[in-house]
Amino acid sequence: MNPSVLNKDHMTFFDKAMKGQRSQMLSAMADAVSECRTASDTAAQLSETGEVALLRLVEIWCGINATPSGIVLEGTEVQILADVLAQIYAYLTLHSLQSPVGMAIYVELNYMMCELMQGEWFE
């Protein structure tokens, strides 16, 4: 093995994977925010899966939100879902998560957005 290889950044592959996951997740999340706003306008109701997902999204939002103040959630469940998704999307657009935990969040959010877009969160 060439000794100069040891001086190379061994996190290159992780960084590329993070960038790809982040890009994919942000694209899916933009569509999901729009979908939630439409569902809110049509007075849709969350399914049981949607309610569990909303709780998990609030948990994620509280975990990544850097501000120490509490969050206020007002409106119907679907309005709250749309607001929480929009807040997470806005935050992640401006702040990149650069850790294995961040990768897990990106993957989980991407999976959740796919479920939402398939209509599994609404009755």
Side-chain angles (χ1 to χ4, degrees):
M1 177 181 279
N2 184 348
S4 68
V5 169
L6 297 175
N7 296 328
K8 300 283 184 189
D9 182 10
H10 63 281
M11 294 299 288
T12 300
F13 301 105
F14 180 79
D15 292 343
K16 288 178 182 179
M18 280 290 281
K19 185 177 179 181
Q21 283 297 322
R22 180 175 187 269
S23 176
Q24 185 178 9
M25 182 275 309
L26 287 174
S27 177
M29 189 168 264
D31 293 340
V33 168
S34 177
E35 184 72 18
C36 282
R37 295 285 185 214
T38 300
S40 177
D41 291 344
T42 61
Q45 298 292 315
L46 289 182
S47 66
E48 188 174 306
T49 301
E51 290 174 357
V52 171
L54 174 56
L55 291 174
R56 178 61 182 139
L57 287 169
V58 170
E59 192 174 56
I60 290 170
W61 177 230
C62 289
I64 64 173
N65 187 2
T67 58
S69 62
I71 59 173
V72 177
L73 304 173
E74 296 178 340
T76 66
E77 288 178 333
V78 178
Q79 289 170 334
I80 292 170
L81 174 62
D83 290 344
V84 169
L85 275 178
Q87 291 297 317
I88 294 172
Y89 176 74
Y91 182 86
L92 292 177
T93 299
L94 298 174
H95 303 91
S96 182
L97 305 176
Q98 296 296 324
S99 68
V101 172
M103 174 69 90
I105 290 171
Y106 289 158
V107 171
E108 182 178 8
L109 287 172
N110 194 33
Y111 178 79
M112 292 174 82
M113 297 309 101
C114 289
E115 275 195 356
L116 185 150
M117 293 303 292
Q118 292 173 357
E120 295 179 22
W121 291 10
F122 303 105
E123 291 183 342

